[in-house]
Structures are given as C-alpha cells and as structure tokens.
Amino acid sequence: LELAIQDSSGVVVRELEADRTAGMHRLRWDLRRDSKDGAGRRRAGAGTFTAVLRRGESELRKSFQVVESADH
C-alpha cells in the first residue's frame, strides 16, 4: 500500500508506504516535501494537493486543500 501526495501540477511531493501486514493502517503526511537535493524536508505550503492511494493495480485519488494557519 503506497500513498503519493501530488501538488497541483501533478508532481509527487511526498511518498509514504504502509505496513504490508493484514488489517487497518493509517498514514500521516507531515505537510513536508521529499528532498531531491539532500537539503532536508521543506514545508509544502498552501495549495491544492491530491492523495493517490495505490495497492497493486488499484488506485484511489482524492484532492484536498492545505491552507496557511493564522497562527503562523
């Protein structure tokens, strides 16, 4: 089971993988992008993202909004 987070242009910003044992699993994205340059993970920022859940040949997509908090 794999979860990819894509930005509004379809670029994968983070990939997460679930435990492969039977049962219910939870994946949590910390709103950070994977680093391609070794500089560490940076915050993704506000915008529209799509979660793509894959298991074998099956795929489920769900778009969502990340908004800036008034606290930050």
Side-chain angles (χ1 to χ4, degrees):
L1 191 63
E2 298 171 352
L3 177 67
I5 306 296
Q6 299 176 341
D7 65 14
S8 59
S9 51
V11 174
V12 175
V13 297
R14 188 75 183 268
E15 292 181 306
L16 304 166
E17 191 170 325
D19 186 349
R20 296 196 181 269
T21 59
M24 186 184 306
H25 299 282
R26 183 176 298 182
L27 293 171
R28 187 173 300 185
W29 179 39
D30 61 3
L31 301 177
R32 298 200 177 273
R33 297 175 171 270
D34 282 336
S35 172
K36 303 297 183 198
D37 59 8
R41 292 192 170 116
R42 299 181 324 260
R43 289 199 63 228
T48 301
F49 294 87
T50 301
V52 183
L53 186 63
R54 290 188 184 101
R55 181 175 173 243
E57 299 295 318
S58 298
E59 181 177 284
L60 176 66
R61 295 176 162 270
K62 179 69 177 172
S63 293
F64 60 95
Q65 295 284 322
V66 173
V67 295
E68 289 293 330
S69 170
D71 299 354
H72 294 97

